[in-house]
Amino acid sequence: MVEEYISKSLMESVPRVLFRVIWVFEPFAPTAITFYINQRLRHYKESSAICNYKAHTKRLGKFRYRISMDIDLTGKQAIRLAGNVFPNHLRQFRRWFS
């Protein structure tokens, strides 16, 4: 019975503690988001899927961010990217995208 009470009280207090910790680290989220996006874009640049990139994240409010990415592509890279993003939509135009 005592063990049940202790585990129940722990299960109720853990979310409250985590919620308080999240509020402490939330202002650092734009830096973490920008870092993560740059890591992913660097992978695409190394595989020659994109030419160059720049990413920036701005905090608008609590848990609200604006992410801007500037990606340089060649014509072939743009067609390949569009084909990966919209594969079903571009099938009807495949004779123009060879």
Side-chain angles (χ1 to χ4, degrees):
M1 188 75 171
V2 173
E3 292 174 2
E4 221 174 88
Y5 176 75
I6 292 172
S7 66
K8 186 176 179 182
S9 67
L10 280 175
M11 293 303 287
E12 291 174 354
S13 65
V14 168
R16 279 188 270 141
V17 170
L18 288 176
F19 192 67
R20 288 181 185 163
V21 169
I22 289 172
W23 288 110
V24 171
F25 291 108
E26 192 271 335
F28 301 111
T31 305
I33 293 168
T34 302
F35 178 77
Y36 176 75
I37 291 173
N38 281 329
Q39 291 295 320
R40 298 298 299 167
L41 290 174
R42 182 179 300 140
H43 170 73
Y44 289 121
K45 183 177 180 182
E46 290 171 355
S47 66
S48 299
I50 61 175
C51 291
N52 203 0
Y53 64 90
K54 188 187 301 182
H56 181 71
T57 305
K58 183 178 179 181
R59 183 174 185 251
L60 301 175
K62 289 182 183 177
F63 299 105
R64 294 191 62 211
Y65 309 100
R66 176 178 294 140
I67 301 170
S68 60
M69 293 186 290
D70 184 20
I71 301 173
D72 294 334
L73 302 170
T74 63
K76 289 183 180 181
Q77 290 171 336
I79 290 170
R80 190 161 93 208
L81 179 66
N84 289 336
V85 174
F86 306 110
N88 296 331
H89 301 286
L90 292 179
R91 281 191 189 141
Q92 59 188 339
F93 302 109
R94 66 178 159 214
R95 64 180 161 189
W96 291 298
F97 295 112
S98 53

